[in-house]
Amino acid sequence: MDFVLSGVAACGACLFTNPLEVVKTRMQLQGELKSRGSYSVHYRNVFHAFYTIGKVDGLLGLQKGLVPALYYQFFMNGVRLGSYAIIESSGHIHTNGRVSGVKTTLAGAVAGVVGAVMGSPIYLVKTHLQSQSTSSIAVGHQYQHQGMMHALSVIYRQHGIVGLWRGSSAAVPRVSIGSAAQLSTFSSSKELVMDLQVFPEDSWLVALSAGMISSVVVVLAMTPFDVVSTRLYNQPVDHLGKGQLYKGFTDCFSKTLKKEGLAGLYKGLGASYFRLGPHTILSLFFWDELRKLYWKVR
């Protein structure tokens, strides 16, 4: 049940934050491997990107990739948060009755890796669909998929089962670091808020406050890995399925740093916060409240 509740909580958050995921993906691909001033800037900031996509691609353009995004959130976060909940309820994250920072970080990272590997093919398709746009505002490589199932079948036909897991080398560090930061800070923040007795112990505001604190840490820790992940998933490939821009995670990281500087690894930081912040808050809040409701009903 922990896995189902976790997946439902993540899907609830995704419905609200998917437009920001589209904006974030476009901003991370804009000016790929080009120095500042040498490319057309279609998206100046989060708000301009939101307006531009809505105007050119239409309002539905802001919900591109929603179907694979929901599948990804359900399966990846279902496994990730569900695994963490089992580790937590087994008492493995506590030392002498208190939450252990080291143990929660390790538990979060392990849960994140399991989720990332399982959800990688869906994330690959989601990235392709969200980057697809009208030519006048297109950034990054443009795939011509007609939907999630079409994309999965095309990739499988052309590159086999291995092709579906292309880019997972970036997904593992991205999700494990993000998951470790999110779950460790959420557990610690929740304990801190309860210790300060700012809100009643069973109040939904405890989970909401902990989620707000957690989201800041997650965005700062995760954005460079998120940029690399987006670019690896979206790069064009040859007939053998090998990337034409990057050989792998390390190559993409170093090329981005060399060509675009540190700012290149933090492209779309604002969009990442506006997306990851609310998503972190909403998914952890829904997760916590659904678990409490389940145990009450049970």
Side-chain angles (χ1 to χ4, degrees):
M1 197 62 196
D2 264 325
F3 288 86
V4 176
L5 292 177
S6 305
V8 172
C11 285
C14 182
L15 286 171
F16 294 97
T17 61
N18 191 61
L20 291 159
E21 178 74 9
V22 173
V23 168
K24 174 186 74 73
T25 299
R26 303 276 180 92
M27 293 189 78
Q28 288 177 340
L29 291 170
Q30 182 169 249
E32 187 173 11
L33 296 183
K34 293 176 182 174
S35 56
R36 187 186 289 270
S38 66
Y39 59 90
S40 299
V41 179
H42 300 303
Y43 313 110
R44 292 197 294 269
N45 52 53
V46 185
F47 307 106
H48 181 253
F50 211 92
Y51 169 76
T52 303
I53 295 167
K55 182 184 175 185
V56 179
D57 288 342
L59 290 177
L60 287 177
L62 288 164
Q63 282 289 15
K64 280 195 172 180
L66 179 61
V67 174
L70 288 171
Y71 273 97
Y72 178 74
Q73 291 300 332
F74 186 81
F75 289 109
M76 193 280 282
N77 278 304
V79 170
R80 184 175 71 92
L81 296 177
S83 301
Y84 184 80
I86 290 169
I87 295 169
E88 182 184 41
S89 58
S90 302
H92 294 308
I93 67 164
H94 294 86
T95 301
N96 300 323
R98 301 285 293 178
V99 172
S100 164
V102 174
K103 287 181 179 178
T104 52
T105 302
L106 285 172
V110 169
V113 168
V114 175
V117 172
M118 289 189 69
S120 189
I122 304 295
Y123 196 89
L124 171 70
V125 170
K126 179 188 76 70
T127 304
H128 289 183
L129 291 173
Q130 289 179 336
S131 65
Q132 282 180 203
S133 63
T134 306
S135 58
S136 61
I137 58 167
V139 290
H141 183 70
Q142 295 290 295
Y143 286 91
Q144 301 302 318
H145 302 314
Q146 292 162 20
M148 185 180 81
M149 297 311 294
H150 175 258
L152 287 169
S153 63
V154 167
I155 296 166
Y156 177 72
R157 262 199 328 267
Q158 292 178 348
H159 308 297
I161 195 77
V162 175
L164 291 169
W165 265 268
R166 179 169 57 80
S168 58
S169 62
V172 170
R174 172 188 170 272
V175 177
S176 58
I177 287 168
S179 184
Q182 183 190 60
L183 295 172
S184 62
T185 53
F186 181 68
S187 295
S188 303
S189 301
K190 202 169 144 192
E191 189 173 70
L192 174 67
V193 173
M194 285 193 289
D195 284 349
L196 292 172
Q197 297 180 338
V198 181
F199 308 111
E201 195 170 315
D202 59 348
S203 170
W204 59 272
L205 289 167
V206 172
L208 190 64
S209 303
M212 289 173 73
I213 297 167
S214 177
S215 64
V216 177
V217 180
V218 172
V219 172
L220 290 174
M222 198 171 169
T223 297
F225 299 94
D226 200 33
V227 170
V228 171
S229 182
T230 298
R231 292 182 173 191
L232 278 177
Y233 276 123
N234 196 65
Q235 70 171 326
V237 294
D238 61 20
H239 67 287
L240 295 172
K242 290 185 178 179
Q244 294 181 354
L245 296 178
Y246 315 107
K247 294 174 186 172
F249 176 81
T250 311
D251 187 46
C252 182
F253 195 96
S254 60
K255 277 183 177 175
T256 302
L257 190 62
K258 185 179 177 182
K259 289 275 186 179
E260 303 169 56
L262 188 61
L265 290 169
Y266 275 94
K267 269 189 176 172
L269 179 65
S272 290
Y273 181 75
F274 282 114
R275 183 261 161 190
L276 276 172
H279 189 87
T280 300
I281 294 164
L282 288 169
S283 60
L284 292 176
F285 170 63
F286 287 152
W287 178 50
D288 208 56
E289 290 301 304
L290 283 169
R291 286 170 73 200
K292 282 197 287 189
L293 182 65
Y294 171 68
W295 288 111
K296 271 185 188 175
V297 172
R298 196 180 175 197

